[in-house]
């Protein structure tokens, strides 16, 4: 189904504005997945294995992001390596990252968005908050259920005054 939509994009026949359907009728994910997957389908001449390897490659960045995230949070290279190894050998994530499904892209984007939120809480630079919003919005396009999680996180951080003094000029 997704390969056919990506092929329609490559053949300039149809440019979808909504993505795959969710389990709730009438609610859809973002269409970024179709446009992103059009690239490996084009490079691999429509071969689904090439698309699967593309997803594995993107998902592999999660360990790298996890390393930097844990290294900064715990201020320890050892913790960063340990966290990256846990991600790399996570049974569910290894299985999950090989599926030709839109959700695979949300995992590295979610971790990267929380890494940016962590950097913002430590440095109070508006660029990290903007990066959080951008990464979180892209992650939410691939998995809609993340949107309440991101909103809840921001509300909690605002209540605990970790996110504070955000000026329009900073954004």
């Amino acid at each position: 189904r997704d390969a056919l939509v990506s092929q329609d994009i490559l053949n300039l026949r149809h440019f979808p504005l909504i993505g795959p359907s969710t389990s709730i009728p009438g609610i859809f994910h973002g269409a970024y997945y179709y446009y992103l997957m059009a690239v490996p389908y084009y490079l691999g001449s429509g071969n689904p294995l090439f698309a699967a390897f593309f997803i594995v490659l993107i998902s592999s960045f999660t360990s790298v992001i996890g390393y930097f995230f844990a290294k900064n949070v715990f201020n320890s290279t050892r913790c960063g390596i340990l966290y990256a190894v846990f991600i790399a050998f996570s049974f569910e994530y290894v299985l999950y990252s090989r599926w030709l499904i839109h959700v695979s892209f949300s995992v590295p984007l979610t971790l990267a968005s929380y890494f940016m939120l962590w950097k913002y809480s430590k440095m109070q630079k508006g660029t990290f908050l903007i990066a959080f919003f951008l990464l979180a919005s892209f992650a939410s396009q691939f998995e809609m259920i993340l949107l309440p999680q991101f909103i809840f996180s921001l509300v909690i951080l605002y209540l605990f005054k970790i996110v504070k003094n955000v000026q329009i000029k900073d954004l």
Side-chain angles (χ1 to χ4, degrees), residues 120-122 124 153-166:
Y120 172 76
S121 72
K122 292 299 169 195
Q124 294 296 316
S153 299
L154 282 174
V155 168
I156 292 298
L157 293 175
Y158 184 76
L159 290 175
F160 284 104
K161 300 193 186 309
I162 294 171
V163 173
K164 58 185 175 195
N165 297 332
V166 178

Side-chain angles (χ1 to χ4, degrees), residues 97-125:
S97 66
R98 295 183 299 168
W99 294 346
L100 280 173
I101 190 167
H102 55 90
V103 181
S104 300
F105 295 110
S106 66
V107 177
L109 287 170
T110 301
L111 188 58
S113 65
Y114 279 116
F115 180 48
M116 290 299 112
L117 197 56
W118 173 262
K119 295 290 276 184
Y120 172 76
S121 72
K122 292 299 169 195
M123 298 181 160
Q124 294 296 316
K125 289 187 179 178

Side-chain angles (χ1 to χ4, degrees), residues 22-169:
T22 63
S23 58
I24 302 170
I27 297 179
F28 299 90
H29 297 287
Y32 291 126
Y33 173 70
Y34 294 138
Y35 293 99
L36 187 61
M37 289 306 292
V39 174
Y41 280 120
Y42 173 75
L43 294 175
S45 301
N47 187 350
L49 283 177
F50 199 83
F53 286 131
F54 177 74
I55 289 177
V56 168
L57 178 70
I58 296 296
S59 298
S60 297
F61 285 115
T62 306
S63 292
V64 176
I65 297 166
Y67 165 76
F68 287 111
F69 183 67
K71 181 182 174 195
N72 278 284
V73 169
F74 298 111
N75 206 15
S76 167
T77 303
R78 182 178 293 160
C79 287
I81 292 170
L82 188 63
Y83 189 63
V85 168
F86 281 154
I87 291 172
F89 291 106
S90 166
F91 179 72
E92 286 88 9
Y93 192 61
V94 169
L95 290 177
Y96 196 55
S97 66
R98 295 183 299 168
W99 294 346
L100 280 173
I101 190 167
H102 55 90
V103 181
S104 300
F105 295 110
S106 66
V107 177
L109 287 170
T110 301
L111 188 58
S113 65
Y114 279 116
F115 180 48
M116 290 299 112
L117 197 56
W118 173 262
K119 295 290 276 184
Y120 172 76
S121 72
K122 292 299 169 195
M123 298 181 160
Q124 294 296 316
K125 289 187 179 178
T127 54
F128 291 118
L129 193 61
I130 292 170
F132 165 76
F133 282 123
L134 288 174
L135 291 167
S137 65
F138 283 128
S140 297
Q141 289 292 313
F142 294 112
E143 186 60 41
M144 294 298 289
I145 196 68
L146 292 174
L147 192 58
Q149 172 186 322
F150 289 129
I151 293 170
F152 177 76
S153 299
L154 282 174
V155 168
I156 292 298
L157 293 175
Y158 184 76
L159 290 175
F160 284 104
K161 300 193 186 309
I162 294 171
V163 173
K164 58 185 175 195
N165 297 332
V166 178
Q167 304 292 326
I168 297 297
K169 65 179 181 155

